């Protein structure tokens, strides 16, 4: 990120709570796409099944992904996430599409950045930022996939680093303003991502971008899947000196509250949250049925309690949820905190 753009981001964060966008996967479900739609013309004769590969739609059905991004921007989102949650060679191996990982990330970031530019021209007073997403992958470096062999692993730290480095380069090349490492269920995976990102920026200092980090508390135990409490999670990733740290997914806002409060207490940086639209409901069309007003009421309370600097939605949330959240927090000042000293802050 260029220096003026970084300054713009910090100016906005100092003035107000920024609005993150909402779900991508559950929005895509509304289109009822079949195998042929996922393939598009480009992969019409591909040898393997591709249905369910939502990241691929950036290339095969770009008009759908563009429309979803545009809806979130119209709802007021300040930060828009790229459609790259599974765009690593590790996750794409399930579809035999490792060779197009760079293209997926580059195209996704380019699309979001162009749409952000389009909306900024309409309203120059509200800058928009592209967050290049690095998802957790579908493998875990800390936990055995075999209950009979606790020492077994199906991915190594070095393999994760290689995969995340490739994705990071493509996101930056495509125009991402921020790198977002999100939905962290295994902190060792996150450490690999953060090591990859920081190493890439050390080698390409002119490309350095701020990093957002967002973990997920998987259940009422208050721990990540790999067993860490919220405070332990923060202590494990704070060395990356992120722009923000936060929580997303797994829980609805109501159940997320105590863990967000704990994170807001210990973190010396901005705090984000983007919860699901309540808990999963298999009878609902998208699997979630919490109304926008309900989600917004909880996030408004988080803001009034001084917990958040960035707020949005995860699974099941829609542009209506994001608009409702934005309206609910508009007049509430952002969370105040004792920032780390400038000499150890590493951003764009």
């Amino acid at each position: 990120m260029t220096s003026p753009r970084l300054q713009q981001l910090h100016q906005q964060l100092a003035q107000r709570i920024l609005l993150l966008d909402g779900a991508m996967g559950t929005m895509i479900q509304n289109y009822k796409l079949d195998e042929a739609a996922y393939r598009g013309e480009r992969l019409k004769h591909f040898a393997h099944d591709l249905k369910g590969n939502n990241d691929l739609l950036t290339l095969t059905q770009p008009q759908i992904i563009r429309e979803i991004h545009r809806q979130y921007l119209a709802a007021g989102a300040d930060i828009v996430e790229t459609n790259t949650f599974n765009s690593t060679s590790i996750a794409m191996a399930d579809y035999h599409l490792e060779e197009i990982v760079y293209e997926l990330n580059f195209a996704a970031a380019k699309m979001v950045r162009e749409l952000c530019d389009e909306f900024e021209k309409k309203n120059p007073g509200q800058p928009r930022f592209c967050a290049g997403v690095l998802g957790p992958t579908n493998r875990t470096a800390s936990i055995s996939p075999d209950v009979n062999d606790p020492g077994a692993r199906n991915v190594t730290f070095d393999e994760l680093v290689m995969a995340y480095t490739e994705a990071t380069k493509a996101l930056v090349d495509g125009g991402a303003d921020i790198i977002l490492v999100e939905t962290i269920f295994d902190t060792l995976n996150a450490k690999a991502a953060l090591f990859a990102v920081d190493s890439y920026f050390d080698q390409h200092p002119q490309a350095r971008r701020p990093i957002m980090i967002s973990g997920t508390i998987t259940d009422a135990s208050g721990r990540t899947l790999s067993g860490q409490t919220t405070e332990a999670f923060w202590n494990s990733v704070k060395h990356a000196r992120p722009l923000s740290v936060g929580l997303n997914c797994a829980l609805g806002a109501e159940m997320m509250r105590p863990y967000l409060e704990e994170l807001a207490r210990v973190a010396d940086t901005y705090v984000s949250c983007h919860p699901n639209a309540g808990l999963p409901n298999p009878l609902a069309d998208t699997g979630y049925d919490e109304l926008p007003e309900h989600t917004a009421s909880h996030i408004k309370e988080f803001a009034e309690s001084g917990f958040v600097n960035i707020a949005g939605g995860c699974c099941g949330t829609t542009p209506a949820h994001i608009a409702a959240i934005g309206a609910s927090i508009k007049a509430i000042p952002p969370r105040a905190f004792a920032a780390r000293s400038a000499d150890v802050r590493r951003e764009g």
Side-chain angles (χ1 to χ4, degrees), residues 6 15 33 39 74 121 153 156 181 227 234 236 240 268 271 273 275:
L6 178 62
Q15 294 168 7
L33 302 178
R39 290 171 175 269
K121 287 179 182 178
R153 296 291 184 272
T156 68
V181 182
W234 164 243
S236 295
D268 61 354
V271 167
C273 76

Side-chain angles (χ1 to χ4, degrees), residues 37-345:
Y38 274 89
R39 290 171 175 269
E41 284 300 312
R42 173 172 175 170
L43 296 169
K44 187 174 182 179
H45 302 294
F46 194 68
H48 305 279
D49 290 343
L50 298 175
K51 185 178 180 181
N53 187 345
N54 289 341
D55 293 19
L56 180 60
L57 298 173
T58 300
L59 301 180
T60 60
Q61 300 290 341
Q63 74 284 356
I64 290 176
I65 305 305
R66 192 175 291 112
E67 180 181 0
I68 293 171
H69 287 319
R70 186 173 275 115
Q71 287 181 55
Y72 282 124
L73 284 160
D78 301 294
I79 302 172
V80 176
E81 302 168 77
T82 56
N83 181 36
T84 54
F85 188 81
N86 289 304
S87 294
T88 58
S89 56
I90 291 170
M92 280 294 146
D94 284 358
Y95 296 97
H96 306 273
L97 288 174
E98 301 97 310
E99 291 185 0
I100 67 168
V101 163
Y102 179 92
E103 185 181 2
L104 283 172
N105 285 280
F106 179 89
K110 184 173 183 288
M111 178 187 292
V112 172
R113 186 59 258 166
E114 288 174 350
L115 289 168
C116 287
D117 290 343
E118 175 187 322
F119 274 77
E120 280 190 24
K121 287 179 182 178
K122 296 175 184 176
N123 181 8
Q126 184 185 2
R128 313 291 183 118
F129 303 94
C130 168
V133 170
L134 297 178
T137 82
N138 52 356
R139 301 186 187 181
T140 173
S142 303
I143 303 171
S144 171
D146 183 355
V147 294
N148 296 312
D149 184 2
R153 296 291 184 272
N154 59 8
V155 71
T156 68
F157 186 88
D158 288 345
E159 288 169 341
L160 287 164
V161 170
M162 289 178 62
Y164 282 126
T165 300
E166 179 184 23
T168 299
K169 173 176 169 45
L171 290 168
V172 171
D173 289 350
D177 300 307
I178 301 163
I179 298 297
L180 169 56
V181 182
E182 72 157 323
T183 320
I184 298 165
F185 59 82
D186 181 346
T187 308
L188 188 56
N189 283 42
K191 282 178 172 287
L194 296 170
F195 179 79
V197 172
D198 210 36
S199 296
Y200 179 77
F201 289 153
D202 281 345
Q203 294 166 19
H204 305 86
Q206 76 285 355
R208 186 172 291 278
R209 303 291 193 271
I211 301 170
M212 294 175 63
I213 298 174
S214 184
T216 184
I217 301 299
T218 54
D219 55 40
S221 70
R223 295 175 180 269
T224 64
L225 186 64
S226 54
Q228 287 190 309
T229 63
T230 306
E231 184 171 4
F233 166 70
W234 164 243
N235 286 328
S236 295
V237 300
K238 67 180 182 180
H239 67 279
R241 291 154 286 183
L243 173 76
S244 69
V245 65
L247 298 175
N248 76 288
C249 206
L251 305 176
E254 186 172 3
M255 293 183 68
M256 183 185 284
R257 189 191 191 284
Y259 316 120
L260 187 66
E261 180 178 13
E262 178 70 1
L263 191 59
R265 182 183 67 82
V266 299
D268 61 354
T269 190
Y270 299 111
V271 167
S272 70
C273 76
H274 50 298
N276 292 347
L279 295 177
N281 178 0
L283 300 179
D285 288 341
T286 62
Y288 297 85
D289 59 4
E290 185 171 275
L291 296 175
E293 295 74 19
H294 192 160
T295 305
S297 69
H298 288 295
I299 294 184
K300 179 181 180 182
E301 191 274 325
F302 296 166
E304 290 173 335
S305 298
F307 297 163
V308 295
N309 303 96
I310 302 168
C314 199
C315 301
T317 57
T318 66
H321 287 80
I322 300 309
I325 292 167
S328 73
I329 62 176
K330 186 175 182 179
I332 304 172
R335 163 182 167 269
F337 61 96
R340 66 180 80 92
S341 59
D343 61 328
V344 296
R345 186 185 291 276

